[in-house]
Amino acid sequence: MELRRLRYFVAVAEERRFSAAARRLHIATPSMSQQIRALERELRVTLFDRTPRGAELTPAGRVLLERARVILAEVDRAREDVRSVGPDRLEQVTLRVCTMAERVLDGPLRLVGVAVPGTEVVVTSSPGDDAVEAVRQARADAAVVWNRPHEHRDLDGLVLGSVLFGVVLPQGHLLAGRSEVPVAALAEGSAATVVMFPWSPFAGVWQRTVDHLLPGGAQAGQVVVEPDLINSPEAMLRAVAAGSGVAPGILGVAEHMDVAGIVVRPLDPPLLLDLEVVWRPPVRPAVRRLVDYLLEAVDDPDVLVSAALRRPGDTGG
C-alpha cells in the first residue's frame, strides 16, 4: 500500500466527503476518488459506502482506519527520529493531557518545553479517555490521564499520585456553612442530585466518583449529566450555581474558577482520584525523560498531587 493512498483514505474517512477531503489535501476531487478506488482494488474490499449523506465506512474501512492512523503516525515519528540525530536537533515528544489534569499540573506543563533535556515536548489537551486512544494509535507518545479503566491497561504507565476532590455546593445549600461535608449528610432529608461530566470519555473515574458521592447507590434521576465538554468543568459548576445539584471539584482548583454562586468544601471521607502517565512500549529514551520529569514535578508542594501515594499504573482501576 502506498502511504499517499493511506493519507487520502484517512482524510475521506474523517471528512466523510470526497470533495472535502480533496480540498483538505489540495488535490482534485476526481483524483481523490480514483486513488481510493485503486486502494480498494488493491485490498479487494469496499472501504466506503457512497451514499447521499456522504462516504460511510464499511466494516473493512473501519478496520483499515484504525491501522492506517497508527501506520501514518509511526512514519511521521520515524521521520522526526531520523531528523533528531543531528547535533543541534531536539527529539520531539507529543504529550496529551486530559481534561482538568492540565490545571493540576499547570506549573510543570508550563516549563516542560525547556525542562526535558534534548527533547521538544508538544503538549495538547484531550478529553478524558481520548488521550489514551491517542497513545494507542501512535498519535501521541504519552498521556496524562485520570484512573484508567481495565480495558485501557494494555499500555505501560505509572501513577503520578492522587488528587484530592471535594464537593461543590450552591451557596444556599444547607451544608454550605460546614468546613467539611460528610458524604452521608449529602443525602440527609432528601436524596442529593449530583451533577456529573459525561460517562464517555471519562469511564475511568465516572463510576468511582458517583459511588463515592452516593454510597447507597444512585437512584433514577439522581445523577444529572452536564454534556458541555467544550466549557467543562465550568459548565458543571454553573449548573450547581443554578441549583441543579452538587458536583465533584478538585480542591485548590474549583474554588478559583470564575463561577459565582458556589462554595467548595472537603469531603469526609475524602475522594482521591489518581493521575497516571501512560505510554506505548517499548519506551523511547525521550519519553522516559519526560516521564521522569513529571515524576519529579509532582514532588513540588505547589502541585496538587500527593506523590507519596505513587504506585505502578498497571494495578487495578
Side-chain angles (χ1 to χ4, degrees):
M1 288 182 287
E2 294 183 14
L3 290 175
R4 176 185 52 155
R5 287 177 179 167
L6 282 183
R7 293 191 190 278
Y8 290 170
F9 164 74
V10 171
V12 175
E14 292 176 347
E15 299 291 344
R16 299 183 62 185
R17 290 192 179 276
F18 284 84
S19 57
R23 285 194 300 272
R24 169 172 151 184
L25 297 181
H26 307 291
I27 67 171
T29 301
S31 296
M32 173 69 76
S33 182
Q34 291 169 8
Q35 292 298 325
I36 297 301
R37 291 287 189 193
L39 181 60
E40 290 177 320
R41 287 195 300 271
E42 180 183 357
L43 295 176
R44 299 180 183 179
V45 297
T46 299
L47 298 172
F48 294 102
D49 288 326
R50 282 75 167 172
T51 73
R53 297 188 304 275
E56 303 287 344
L57 284 168
T58 63
R62 287 193 289 272
V63 171
L64 181 60
L65 179 60
E66 181 178 347
R67 298 299 304 147
R69 282 173 168 160
V70 173
I71 291 167
L72 293 174
E74 288 291 351
V75 169
D76 291 340
R77 192 169 95 172
R79 182 185 297 112
E80 291 299 324
D81 287 350
V82 170
R83 289 174 176 173
S84 70
V85 299
D88 300 322
R89 299 288 299 189
L90 297 176
E91 187 173 358
Q92 187 176 91
V93 173
T94 55
L95 174 67
R96 291 290 186 98
V97 182
C98 68
T99 306
M100 288 303 293
E102 79 280 3
R103 305 198 188 202
V104 174
L105 299 174
D106 179 63
L109 292 179
R110 288 178 186 275
L111 298 174
V112 69
V114 296
V116 183
T119 306
E120 178 186 2
V121 182
V122 178
V123 182
T124 57
S125 61
S126 186
D129 301 331
D130 288 354
V132 176
E133 286 302 317
V135 174
R136 181 178 290 111
Q137 296 174 9
R139 292 181 286 115
D141 295 301
V144 175
V145 299
W146 297 104
N147 299 73
R148 285 179 289 163
H150 288 289
E151 59 267 26
H152 288 164
R153 294 191 173 273
D154 55 317
L155 300 171
D156 286 351
L158 284 172
V159 175
L160 293 173
S162 297
V163 178
L164 184 62
F165 280 67
V167 62
V168 183
L169 309 162
Q171 282 184 338
H173 196 280
L174 291 174
L175 300 174
R178 295 204 183 190
S179 59
E180 185 177 77
V181 174
V183 169
L186 286 174
E188 285 181 0
S190 61
T193 299
V194 177
V195 180
M196 287 290 295
F197 39 82
W199 183 87
S200 177
F202 299 99
V205 294
W206 199 95
Q207 197 61 54
R208 290 185 63 173
T209 303
V210 170
D211 289 346
H212 190 93
L213 295 176
L214 301 170
Q219 305 301 313
Q222 204 171 357
V223 178
V224 176
V225 173
E226 172 50 63
D228 185 358
L229 285 177
I230 295 177
N231 297 305
S232 178
E234 285 85 353
M236 288 175 55
L237 304 192
R238 292 190 185 99
V240 171
S244 297
V246 303
I250 298 174
L251 291 178
V253 173
E255 55 266 51
H256 299 300
M257 292 182 184
D258 189 21
V259 178
I262 61 170
V263 295
V264 184
R265 297 288 182 261
L267 282 164
D268 178 25
L271 171 59
L272 288 161
L273 297 177
D274 289 342
L275 270 184
E276 302 181 35
V277 56
V278 299
W279 61 88
R280 291 188 319 284
V283 60
R284 289 194 291 147
V287 175
R288 182 74 253 180
R289 291 194 296 270
L290 171 62
V291 171
D292 290 342
Y293 167 74
L294 292 173
L295 289 171
E296 292 176 5
V298 296
D299 287 331
D300 189 320
D302 291 332
V303 178
L304 301 174
V305 176
S306 174
L309 299 177
R310 188 181 303 152
R311 57 191 179 277
D314 58 356
T315 59

mmCIF file of all heavy atoms in Angstrom, residues 180-207:
data_model
loop_
_atom_site.group_PDB
_atom_site.id
_atom_site.type_symbol
_atom_site.label_atom_id
_atom_site.label_comp_id
_atom_site.label_asym_id
_atom_site.label_seq_id
_atom_site.Cartn_x
_atom_site.Cartn_y
_atom_site.Cartn_z
ATOM 1 N N GLU A 180 -16.381 20.992 56.523
ATOM 2 C CA GLU A 180 -16.172 19.699 55.876
ATOM 3 C C GLU A 180 -17.525 19.016 55.757
ATOM 4 O O GLU A 180 -18.331 19.055 56.686
ATOM 5 C CB GLU A 180 -15.199 18.852 56.705
ATOM 6 C CG GLU A 180 -14.819 17.537 56.063
ATOM 7 C CD GLU A 180 -13.792 16.796 56.905
ATOM 8 O OE1 GLU A 180 -14.200 16.208 57.929
ATOM 9 O OE2 GLU A 180 -12.593 16.808 56.543
ATOM 10 N N VAL A 181 -17.791 18.412 54.625
ATOM 11 C CA VAL A 181 -19.107 17.819 54.371
ATOM 12 C C VAL A 181 -19.019 16.301 54.458
ATOM 13 O O VAL A 181 -18.314 15.675 53.640
ATOM 14 C CB VAL A 181 -19.634 18.234 52.987
ATOM 15 C CG1 VAL A 181 -20.930 17.496 52.662
ATOM 16 C CG2 VAL A 181 -19.861 19.743 52.934
ATOM 17 N N PRO A 182 -19.701 15.679 55.424
ATOM 18 C CA PRO A 182 -19.762 14.217 55.448
ATOM 19 C C PRO A 182 -20.554 13.722 54.237
ATOM 20 O O PRO A 182 -21.609 14.272 53.906
ATOM 21 C CB PRO A 182 -20.504 13.902 56.751
ATOM 22 C CG PRO A 182 -20.417 15.155 57.562
ATOM 23 C CD PRO A 182 -20.384 16.284 56.586
ATOM 24 N N VAL A 183 -20.055 12.696 53.582
ATOM 25 C CA VAL A 183 -20.757 12.168 52.418
ATOM 26 C C VAL A 183 -22.161 11.736 52.796
ATOM 27 O O VAL A 183 -23.130 11.972 52.048
ATOM 28 C CB VAL A 183 -19.957 10.988 51.816
ATOM 29 C CG1 VAL A 183 -20.792 10.254 50.775
ATOM 30 C CG2 VAL A 183 -18.660 11.480 51.198
ATOM 31 N N ALA A 184 -22.307 11.145 53.982
ATOM 32 C CA ALA A 184 -23.627 10.681 54.404
ATOM 33 C C ALA A 184 -24.622 11.830 54.533
ATOM 34 O O ALA A 184 -25.820 11.654 54.324
ATOM 35 C CB ALA A 184 -23.516 9.935 55.733
ATOM 36 N N ALA A 185 -24.112 13.036 54.855
ATOM 37 C CA ALA A 185 -25.008 14.182 55.045
ATOM 38 C C ALA A 185 -25.558 14.719 53.728
ATOM 39 O O ALA A 185 -26.561 15.439 53.719
ATOM 40 C CB ALA A 185 -24.277 15.302 55.787
ATOM 41 N N LEU A 186 -24.915 14.390 52.629
ATOM 42 C CA LEU A 186 -25.407 14.885 51.342
ATOM 43 C C LEU A 186 -26.814 14.395 51.050
ATOM 44 O O LEU A 186 -27.592 15.069 50.380
ATOM 45 C CB LEU A 186 -24.470 14.428 50.214
ATOM 46 C CG LEU A 186 -23.128 15.144 50.110
ATOM 47 C CD1 LEU A 186 -22.266 14.485 49.036
ATOM 48 C CD2 LEU A 186 -23.329 16.627 49.801
ATOM 49 N N ALA A 187 -27.165 13.195 51.535
ATOM 50 C CA ALA A 187 -28.471 12.614 51.237
ATOM 51 C C ALA A 187 -29.449 12.715 52.398
ATOM 52 O O ALA A 187 -30.527 12.134 52.345
ATOM 53 C CB ALA A 187 -28.293 11.150 50.827
ATOM 54 N N GLU A 188 -29.078 13.436 53.446
ATOM 55 C CA GLU A 188 -29.983 13.568 54.591
ATOM 56 C C GLU A 188 -31.214 14.375 54.204
ATOM 57 O O GLU A 188 -31.122 15.403 53.537
ATOM 58 C CB GLU A 188 -29.269 14.246 55.757
ATOM 59 C CG GLU A 188 -28.286 13.327 56.476
ATOM 60 C CD GLU A 188 -27.617 14.026 57.651
ATOM 61 O OE1 GLU A 188 -27.927 15.205 57.880
ATOM 62 O OE2 GLU A 188 -26.777 13.388 58.314
ATOM 63 N N GLY A 189 -32.372 13.911 54.635
ATOM 64 C CA GLY A 189 -33.613 14.628 54.360
ATOM 65 C C GLY A 189 -34.159 14.283 52.990
ATOM 66 O O GLY A 189 -35.264 13.785 52.866
ATOM 67 N N SER A 190 -33.420 14.530 51.959
ATOM 68 C CA SER A 190 -33.840 14.188 50.601
ATOM 69 C C SER A 190 -32.605 13.778 49.816
ATOM 70 O O SER A 190 -31.493 14.187 50.130
ATOM 71 C CB SER A 190 -34.531 15.377 49.922
ATOM 72 O OG SER A 190 -33.644 16.470 49.824
ATOM 73 N N ALA A 191 -32.811 12.970 48.812
ATOM 74 C CA ALA A 191 -31.683 12.446 48.034
ATOM 75 C C ALA A 191 -30.954 13.573 47.324
ATOM 76 O O ALA A 191 -31.558 14.465 46.745
ATOM 77 C CB ALA A 191 -32.181 11.417 47.024
ATOM 78 N N ALA A 192 -29.630 13.513 47.375
ATOM 79 C CA ALA A 192 -28.825 14.511 46.689
ATOM 80 C C ALA A 192 -28.889 14.281 45.187
ATOM 81 O O ALA A 192 -29.014 13.153 44.718
ATOM 82 C CB ALA A 192 -27.383 14.425 47.160
ATOM 83 N N THR A 193 -28.808 15.365 44.441
ATOM 84 C CA THR A 193 -28.666 15.278 42.987
ATOM 85 C C THR A 193 -27.230 15.657 42.652
ATOM 86 O O THR A 193 -26.745 16.707 43.070
ATOM 87 C CB THR A 193 -29.634 16.225 42.265
ATOM 88 O OG1 THR A 193 -30.977 15.862 42.606
ATOM 89 C CG2 THR A 193 -29.468 16.129 40.761
ATOM 90 N N VAL A 194 -26.550 14.800 41.930
ATOM 91 C CA VAL A 194 -25.143 15.004 41.605
ATOM 92 C C VAL A 194 -25.023 15.392 40.132
ATOM 93 O O VAL A 194 -25.540 14.703 39.253
ATOM 94 C CB VAL A 194 -24.314 13.739 41.886
ATOM 95 C CG1 VAL A 194 -22.861 13.938 41.464
ATOM 96 C CG2 VAL A 194 -24.396 13.383 43.370
ATOM 97 N N VAL A 195 -24.349 16.517 39.885
ATOM 98 C CA VAL A 195 -24.078 16.956 38.516
ATOM 99 C C VAL A 195 -22.734 16.366 38.102
ATOM 100 O O VAL A 195 -21.720 16.581 38.774
ATOM 101 C CB VAL A 195 -24.035 18.496 38.426
ATOM 102 C CG1 VAL A 195 -23.749 18.932 36.984
ATOM 103 C CG2 VAL A 195 -25.350 19.097 38.916
ATOM 104 N N MET A 196 -22.729 15.623 36.981
ATOM 105 C CA MET A 196 -21.527 14.920 36.549
ATOM 106 C C MET A 196 -21.187 15.269 35.108
ATOM 107 O O MET A 196 -22.031 15.693 34.332
ATOM 108 C CB MET A 196 -21.729 13.406 36.661
ATOM 109 C CG MET A 196 -21.727 12.881 38.091
ATOM 110 S SD MET A 196 -20.082 12.958 38.875
ATOM 111 C CE MET A 196 -19.165 11.786 37.866
ATOM 112 N N PHE A 197 -19.928 15.059 34.766
ATOM 113 C CA PHE A 197 -19.478 15.120 33.389
ATOM 114 C C PHE A 197 -19.952 13.846 32.682
ATOM 115 O O PHE A 197 -20.345 12.877 33.339
ATOM 116 C CB PHE A 197 -17.950 15.220 33.328
ATOM 117 C CG PHE A 197 -17.252 14.370 34.351
ATOM 118 C CD1 PHE A 197 -17.041 13.014 34.126
ATOM 119 C CD2 PHE A 197 -16.821 14.918 35.555
ATOM 120 C CE1 PHE A 197 -16.399 12.217 35.077
ATOM 121 C CE2 PHE A 197 -16.176 14.122 36.510
ATOM 122 C CZ PHE A 197 -15.971 12.777 36.266
ATOM 123 N N PRO A 198 -19.944 13.795 31.338
ATOM 124 C CA PRO A 198 -20.415 12.591 30.634
ATOM 125 C C PRO A 198 -19.587 11.354 30.983
ATOM 126 O O PRO A 198 -18.388 11.449 31.222
ATOM 127 C CB PRO A 198 -20.257 12.956 29.148
ATOM 128 C CG PRO A 198 -20.262 14.450 29.122
ATOM 129 C CD PRO A 198 -19.598 14.885 30.402
ATOM 130 N N TRP A 199 -20.248 10.199 30.982
ATOM 131 C CA TRP A 199 -19.531 8.947 31.265
ATOM 132 C C TRP A 199 -18.439 8.709 30.235
ATOM 133 O O TRP A 199 -17.325 8.319 30.574
ATOM 134 C CB TRP A 199 -20.518 7.779 31.256
ATOM 135 C CG TRP A 199 -19.888 6.471 31.616
ATOM 136 C CD1 TRP A 199 -19.705 5.954 32.864
ATOM 137 C CD2 TRP A 199 -19.332 5.514 30.711
ATOM 138 N NE1 TRP A 199 -19.073 4.730 32.804
ATOM 139 C CE2 TRP A 199 -18.835 4.437 31.481
ATOM 140 C CE3 TRP A 199 -19.211 5.465 29.323
ATOM 141 C CZ2 TRP A 199 -18.234 3.331 30.906
ATOM 142 C CZ3 TRP A 199 -18.596 4.358 28.750
ATOM 143 C CH2 TRP A 199 -18.123 3.302 29.536
ATOM 144 N N SER A 200 -18.775 8.905 28.973
ATOM 145 C CA SER A 200 -17.769 8.799 27.915
ATOM 146 C C SER A 200 -17.379 10.202 27.489
ATOM 147 O O SER A 200 -18.251 11.032 27.209
ATOM 148 C CB SER A 200 -18.345 8.036 26.712
ATOM 149 O OG SER A 200 -17.424 7.982 25.647
ATOM 150 N N PRO A 201 -16.082 10.547 27.498
ATOM 151 C CA PRO A 201 -14.919 9.657 27.586
ATOM 152 C C PRO A 201 -14.210 9.698 28.936
ATOM 153 O O PRO A 201 -12.999 9.867 28.991
ATOM 154 C CB PRO A 201 -14.033 10.227 26.486
ATOM 155 C CG PRO A 201 -14.286 11.710 26.578
ATOM 156 C CD PRO A 201 -15.703 11.876 27.006
ATOM 157 N N PHE A 202 -14.942 9.550 30.022
ATOM 158 C CA PHE A 202 -14.330 9.595 31.352
ATOM 159 C C PHE A 202 -14.666 8.334 32.158
ATOM 160 O O PHE A 202 -14.880 8.390 33.364
ATOM 161 C CB PHE A 202 -14.815 10.824 32.117
ATOM 162 C CG PHE A 202 -14.455 12.129 31.460
ATOM 163 C CD1 PHE A 202 -15.389 12.808 30.696
ATOM 164 C CD2 PHE A 202 -13.193 12.661 31.581
ATOM 165 C CE1 PHE A 202 -15.069 14.013 30.081
ATOM 166 C CE2 PHE A 202 -12.857 13.865 30.975
ATOM 167 C CZ PHE A 202 -13.800 14.537 30.218
ATOM 168 N N ALA A 203 -14.710 7.190 31.477
ATOM 169 C CA ALA A 203 -15.147 5.957 32.132
ATOM 170 C C ALA A 203 -14.279 5.588 33.316
ATOM 171 O O ALA A 203 -14.753 4.979 34.280
ATOM 172 C CB ALA A 203 -15.160 4.822 31.114
ATOM 173 N N GLY A 204 -12.999 5.946 33.274
ATOM 174 C CA GLY A 204 -12.094 5.543 34.340
ATOM 175 C C GLY A 204 -12.420 6.124 35.700
ATOM 176 O O GLY A 204 -12.100 5.521 36.725
ATOM 177 N N VAL A 205 -13.035 7.297 35.728
ATOM 178 C CA VAL A 205 -13.296 7.956 37.019
ATOM 179 C C VAL A 205 -14.773 8.203 37.278
ATOM 180 O O VAL A 205 -15.154 8.548 38.399
ATOM 181 C CB VAL A 205 -12.541 9.301 37.119
ATOM 182 C CG1 VAL A 205 -11.044 9.075 37.152
ATOM 183 C CG2 VAL A 205 -12.914 10.234 35.977
ATOM 184 N N TRP A 206 -15.605 8.057 36.270
ATOM 185 C CA TRP A 206 -17.023 8.409 36.422
ATOM 186 C C TRP A 206 -17.692 7.600 37.532
ATOM 187 O O TRP A 206 -18.258 8.160 38.466
ATOM 188 C CB TRP A 206 -17.751 8.193 35.091
ATOM 189 C CG TRP A 206 -19.068 8.916 34.983
ATOM 190 C CD1 TRP A 206 -19.276 10.138 34.415
ATOM 191 C CD2 TRP A 206 -20.345 8.457 35.434
ATOM 192 N NE1 TRP A 206 -20.610 10.470 34.485
ATOM 193 C CE2 TRP A 206 -21.293 9.451 35.118
ATOM 194 C CE3 TRP A 206 -20.786 7.316 36.091
ATOM 195 C CZ2 TRP A 206 -22.641 9.338 35.405
ATOM 196 C CZ3 TRP A 206 -22.130 7.195 36.398
ATOM 197 C CH2 TRP A 206 -23.042 8.193 36.062
ATOM 198 N N GLN A 207 -17.632 6.262 37.413
ATOM 199 C CA GLN A 207 -18.345 5.428 38.373
ATOM 200 C C GLN A 207 -17.743 5.535 39.766
ATOM 201 O O GLN A 207 -18.472 5.523 40.767
ATOM 202 C CB GLN A 207 -18.339 3.970 37.914
ATOM 203 C CG GLN A 207 -19.381 3.112 38.626
ATOM 204 C CD GLN A 207 -20.800 3.602 38.378
ATOM 205 O OE1 GLN A 207 -21.213 3.753 37.227
ATOM 206 N NE2 GLN A 207 -21.543 3.865 39.445
#
